Amino acid sequence: MRTLLRALRYLKPYLWQQSAALLCAVIVTVLGLAFPWVLKVLIDDVFVHKNAGALAFVCSAFLGISLLSAVFGLARQYLFTWVGERAGIDLRTQLFAHMQSQALQYFAGEKTGKLMSHFTSDAGAMQQLYTSTLVDFATNTLRMVVTLVVVGIFSYIELKI
C-alpha cells in the first residue's frame, strides 16, 4: 500500500485535471444509464400506445445522449491520458535527476541494462498505471456507484407508488 501511495504522489500536481476527468466520467456514466430509460419510452409510448410525438422525443434523446456521451467520453479520455503522460514525464525527470546525483562509483558497480530498465520498463509500467489501470478502476467504480444510486432511487420511487 505504501508503494502505491508513493506512486500516486506524481498525480497530485494534476488534481484539477483529474477532477475534471472524473466529472466527465460521472457524466458519461449517467448518460449511459439514460439509454434504458429512453428504450422504455420507445417501447411503452411508441410501440404500445402508438404515440408519434414520443417517437420524435426518442430519436432526439438518442441523438442528444449519443453526442453528449461522445464529447464527454473524449474529454475524459484526453484528460486522464494527459495526466498520466505528465505524471510519467515527472517520474522520468526525477529518476534522471536522481541518476545524475549519483557518484561515478555507483555506475561502475551497476549494470547498464539494469539502469536503462528503470527508465524504459519501470517508468513505462508506472505510466501504464497512471493512464490505464487507475482510469479503468476509477471509471468502473464510478459506474457501480452511480448505478447503485439510480437503482436505489427507482426502488424508492417504486415503493412509494
Side-chain angles (χ1 to χ4, degrees):
M1 185 65 165
R2 186 172 167 232
T3 305
L4 180 62
L5 292 175
R6 280 184 59 207
L8 293 178
R9 77 172 185 217
Y10 290 98
L11 298 174
K12 190 175 180 181
Y14 309 107
L15 191 59
W16 288 106
Q17 292 87 349
Q18 284 180 302
S19 299
L22 286 173
L23 177 64
C24 289
V26 168
I27 292 170
V28 168
T29 302
V30 170
L31 289 171
L33 293 173
F35 272 116
W37 177 73
V38 175
L39 284 174
K40 177 199 173 298
V41 172
L42 176 68
I43 292 168
D44 291 347
D45 294 346
V46 176
F47 294 145
V48 174
H49 296 106
K50 309 284 190 225
N51 185 351
L55 181 61
F57 166 76
V58 167
C59 291
S60 59
F62 271 129
L63 181 65
I65 291 170
S66 297
L67 288 174
L68 286 173
S69 185
V71 167
F72 284 105
L74 285 171
R76 178 200 66 186
Q77 190 62 37
Y78 174 81
L79 287 168
F80 273 131
T81 302
W82 186 86
V83 167
E85 294 293 327
R86 294 299 308 169
I89 289 170
D90 293 347
L91 175 66
R92 283 188 172 96
T93 302
Q94 187 176 0
L95 181 60
F96 183 75
H98 177 72
M99 290 289 186
Q100 288 288 327
S101 69
Q102 297 297 317
L104 287 177
Q105 187 61 32
Y106 171 77
F107 294 105
E110 291 290 328
K111 295 185 181 199
T112 305
K114 180 182 175 194
L115 296 175
M116 291 304 297
S117 173
H118 291 308
F119 282 99
T120 57
S121 299
D122 298 347
M126 292 302 295
Q127 194 165 355
Q128 181 72 18
L129 171 74
Y130 298 142
T131 58
S132 180
T133 307
L134 289 177
V135 172
D136 291 341
F137 176 75
T139 302
N140 291 333
T141 302
L142 281 171
R143 184 174 291 128
M144 181 186 71
V145 168
V146 170
T147 302
L148 288 174
V149 167
V150 168
V151 166
I153 290 171
F154 283 137
S155 295
Y156 179 76
I157 291 171
E158 284 287 321
L159 289 175
K160 288 290 188 179
I161 294 177

